[in-house]
Amino acid sequence: MSFPRSFQCGHCGVDVSLDAPGTSHRNHCPSCLWSRHLDRNVPGDRKSGCPGGMEPIAVTVRGEHRWMLIHRCTRCGRLRMNRTAADDSVLLLIQVAARPLATPPGPALRAAGPGFTSAEQAG
């Protein structure tokens, strides 16, 4: 389906409406949560010189329980924070938010398995 004001997601190919509930500068796909490195300094400026894809790497909460996506450019490594929209995939948002729980921070914790901390291993 095509929208009057839209873009095609460079990651999954879905046609995405620019009119998004909950944000005035949509730059990520509600289906896969990927984005493009478009903005340089402020949301909506569209002045980035980098054409890289922006991978959703984390979710944070800001203000009054407002979920924000954190994207990392696959080309230059820049981090950007973007508001989520009401039509974003809730399942994918939860999967991105849960990634730190699924991947412990170091090799010692990964080898110990669930339920162990580094202090317990040392003693």
Side-chain angles (χ1 to χ4, degrees), residues 6 10 13 19-20 26-27 29 34 41-42 44 48 50 54 64 70 75 84 90 109 113 122:
S6 66
D19 300 317
R26 157 125 58 206
N27 70 344
C29 175
W34 277 69
N41 296 318
V42 293
S48 173
C50 179
M54 300 287 281
E64 292 294 317
I70 299 175
R75 189 167 193 180
T84 57
V90 175
L109 290 177

Side-chain angles (χ1 to χ4, degrees), residues 27 36-45 54-55 57-58 69-73 77-82:
N27 70 344
R36 272 187 45 218
H37 194 169
L38 297 173
D39 301 334
R40 183 172 53 199
N41 296 318
V42 293
D45 74 8
M54 300 287 281
E55 178 182 11
I57 61 165
L69 269 170
I70 299 175
H71 287 100
R72 179 178 47 223
C73 181
R78 179 142 189 198
L79 297 174
R80 300 293 303 186
M81 193 163 28
N82 296 292

Side-chain angles (χ1 to χ4, degrees), residues 86-111:
D87 60 349
D88 286 346
S89 169
V90 175
L91 177 61
L92 284 179
L93 286 169
I94 291 170
Q95 286 176 339
V96 170
R99 273 187 203 152
L101 300 173
T103 49
L109 290 177
R110 283 193 288 274

Side-chain angles (χ1 to χ4, degrees), residues 2 5 9 11-13 20 26 31 33 36 45-46 50-51 78 88 91 93 113 121:
S2 182
R5 292 177 5 95
C9 177
H11 185 74
C12 73
R26 157 125 58 206
S31 296
L33 305 180
R36 272 187 45 218
D45 74 8
R46 305 301 193 244
C50 179
R78 179 142 189 198
D88 286 346
L91 177 61
L93 286 169
Q121 284 182 323

Side-chain angles (χ1 to χ4, degrees), residues 57-71:
I57 61 165
V59 173
T60 189
V61 179
R62 207 164 123 181
E64 292 294 317
H65 310 288
R66 179 78 181 146
W67 279 42
M68 305 287 288
L69 269 170
I70 299 175
H71 287 100

